[in-house]
């Protein structure tokens, strides 16, 4: 009896104190909190909000373009890549623009980033729709994020990059795009080298702890080129990255379901 | 028998590995460690120290003004706002100046900052008194810090800002001041917008992950104006922030006792 | 029966979710993962890799000198000082150069850094040897790292600094060198002052959360001078640092075996 209670207490304590990303949080939730600006939440401690009429004083401090009365807001503790890729689909599907993308050093004690993404729109319905699409896409874009106690990998691929990817990574519009992330950063170096040797792709950018990241422990390579080549490079980087990450801790598992 | 021992081990292990801020650490402690420079500790893994005669070589590397022989030191893993607000009271109450305020990206895996605050004084007794006052005030200034597994909010209010607030935030001396922090940053955006729409206040500054923070996952707004208006704005921001933070995880609780 | 299973589950859950540095990971491991570029792993979630022929596109993006065909790679989640000191021995023992040292804001939710160190070599055998030496030395250089729930100290000492120490800290080649780190940063301030007052040493550099670190919650002092004086200063800083760190949490323990 007493033993059972003790165990219960222990299990509760663990749940309370654990800050591992909630994997059960698949798909956006919008159970609501009685606030009209609330759109929903999703995996990665991601929250989606809208403001129909941004206050003039805030508008100015945020350096928003005056033509945007309304903004959509995506913020997350864990991940920047998945949210940016998801926002890219949202921009394709709605009448919005990406206004700012900021990367916090976060992931709740992990090696990577959190993010704050702002969509600008003339109508609040457009901003809301962009946030909804982003939240919905996150389940897919977390599919090739692999994590264990020692670090994480992230792989992303799209056949056609849109404005969020251009804004965040400087990749060419309308072309295939691949994102390859390894943490700790040493693993990312080898993933980057492998990706470029695998197929004929072009390096858009290369980021490391002191250059191009918010001091995250990642090496990130961004590639473009023929869609088949980009996809092949991303898959090769994933294969070598997983083997390396698994030398440091228990086998890394995908956060949701791999899509590449 | 063996079962009990196993459970004991498990509970011990959890305690050892858990790095949740110690909430039992309310009020400053000065149990001493046999070092004359030690003043005490307080909530947020905050430690207070003094140096009566700073070594010339260190003095120069720290860029201290030559008139300060003595320094008081406040450092913490969790929090910067509570320590700055507390230091502001210390500066009002003692013959010291705030020399530097530095913000680490910390909170032990959380979304915010840690801090290092240096007081300069001509007499070591003044430096010690400033550190003592700061440690004592922390119990109050952690009152409107709310945290859950997904993030945190921080609210601060004073009817009359002094030199620490001016140094840290650029707020006007002697006027009412409010600090509003939301993490993840998306929540801070809505809190900021709400605060400014609630009453007639002036925005002193607006900080976000890539601008004005140490890459923390926060949006921070600093406001000034009529004391009633500032207080009303802070309270409105707190209300909407709590509702939003609670959509992501279990209801956020105040770290100590709310004072606003 | 059921109780035993529950306990097993709890213990497994703790292991899975815990991200405390693996202290059992003493000494390098090279159990292999079937990848020729893999050299081994060591304490601090450190991984060692080599690339025999760096791809030209990556070579350019990494800003490597063209004469280096091969690179050795050391990356870690926890620690930068131990890896830099170990790399310093590797550079002394091999025909390699330190190309880049980057410091992530990491330690898995702790107060310090992680790192990415790249060795350049004309021959892959030299790069591999440098990585091997570094991994092997880490067991020693983690000897004077002390950690508890509230923070950490790090002490390093060498009678003769080589190129890694020069590159990372700007210390003079061939002279004795001491590294003193305290976290939270307030503790580092007092350790620095104590070190300089203890013996006749010269301050090479002084780093704090906003200057010279990647926003870590550390104050770091680097000293040079007569080898006896440097060693004495480091030991004095360690003594006072331990007493202070232990006022905040359970007594800090050395990660491996102290060597200074």
């Amino acid at each position: 009896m007493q033993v059972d209670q003790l165990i219960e207490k222990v299990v509760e304590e663990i749940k309370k104190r654990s800050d591992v990303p909630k994997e059960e949080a698949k798909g956006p939730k919008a159970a609501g909190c009685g606030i009209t600006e609330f759109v929903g939440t999703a995996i990665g401690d991601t929250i989606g909000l809208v403001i129909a009429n941004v206050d003039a004083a805030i508008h100015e401090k945020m350096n928003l373009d005056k033509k945007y009365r309304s903004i959509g807001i995506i913020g997350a503790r864990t991940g920047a890549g998945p949210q940016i890729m998801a926002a890219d689909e949202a921009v394709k599907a709605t009448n919005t623009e990406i206004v700012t993308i900021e990367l916090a050093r976060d992931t709740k004690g992990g090696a990577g980033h959190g993010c704050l993404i702002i969509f600008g729109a003339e109508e609040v319905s457009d901003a809301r729709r962009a946030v909804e699409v982003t939240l919905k896409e996150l389940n897919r874009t977390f599919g090739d994020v692999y994590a264990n106690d020692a670090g994480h990998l992230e792989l992303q691929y799209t056949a056609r990059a849109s404005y969020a990817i251009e804004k965040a990574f400087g990749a060419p519009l309308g072309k295939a795009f691949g994102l390859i992330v390894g943490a700790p950063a040493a693993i990312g170096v080898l993933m980057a080298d492998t990706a470029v040797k695998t197929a004929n792709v072009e390096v858009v950018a290369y980021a490391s702890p002191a250059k191009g990241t918010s001091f995250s422990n990642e090496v990130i390579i961004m590639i473009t080129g023929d869609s088949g080549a980009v996809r092949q490079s991303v898959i090769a980087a994933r294969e070598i990255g997983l083997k390396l990450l698994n030398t440091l801790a228990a086998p890394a598992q995908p956060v949701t379901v791999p899509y590449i």
Side-chain angles (χ1 to χ4, degrees), chain A residues 46-112:
Chain A
T46 305
I47 191 166
L49 306 167
V50 288
I51 300 179
N53 284 288
V54 182
D55 185 274
I58 298 292
H59 209 286
E60 186 203 320
K61 293 282 177 186
M62 291 178 84
N63 279 322
L64 294 180
D65 191 317
K66 285 197 177 153
K67 74 180 170 193
Y68 300 124
R69 214 170 52 97
S70 303
I71 60 171
I73 308 163
I74 289 284
R77 292 291 310 278
T78 296
Q83 286 83 358
I84 293 166
M85 298 301 286
D88 205 57
E89 297 304 317
V91 165
K92 287 177 188 170
T94 61
N95 191 19
T96 57
E97 280 189 30
I98 297 284
V99 180
T100 54
I101 297 177
E102 296 185 53
L103 271 54
R105 174 71 186 87
D106 207 337
T107 54
K108 304 177 100 173

Side-chain angles (χ1 to χ4, degrees), chain A residues 85-156:
Chain A
M85 298 301 286
D88 205 57
E89 297 304 317
V91 165
K92 287 177 188 170
T94 61
N95 191 19
T96 57
E97 280 189 30
I98 297 284
V99 180
T100 54
I101 297 177
E102 296 185 53
L103 271 54
R105 174 71 186 87
D106 207 337
T107 54
K108 304 177 100 173
H113 290 109
C115 64
L116 176 64
I117 302 174
I118 310 272
F119 296 91
E122 294 180 40
E123 301 297 330
V124 66
S125 57
D126 291 323
R128 178 177 290 273
R129 184 78 193 119
V131 171
E132 284 169 352
V133 172
T134 304
L135 292 174
K136 192 152 168 284
E137 282 290 319
L138 280 178
N139 201 32
R140 178 181 63 82
T141 58
F142 263 102
D144 284 285
V145 177
Y146 298 80
N148 66 11
D149 178 58
H152 63 263
L153 313 177
E154 181 190 340
L155 294 310
Q156 300 287 356

Side-chain angles (χ1 to χ4, degrees), chain A residues 217-231:
Chain A
N217 201 336
E218 301 173 311
V219 157
I220 307 174
I221 188 171
M222 293 141 261
I223 56 176
T224 187
D226 168 73
S227 67
V230 169
R231 206 167 166 278

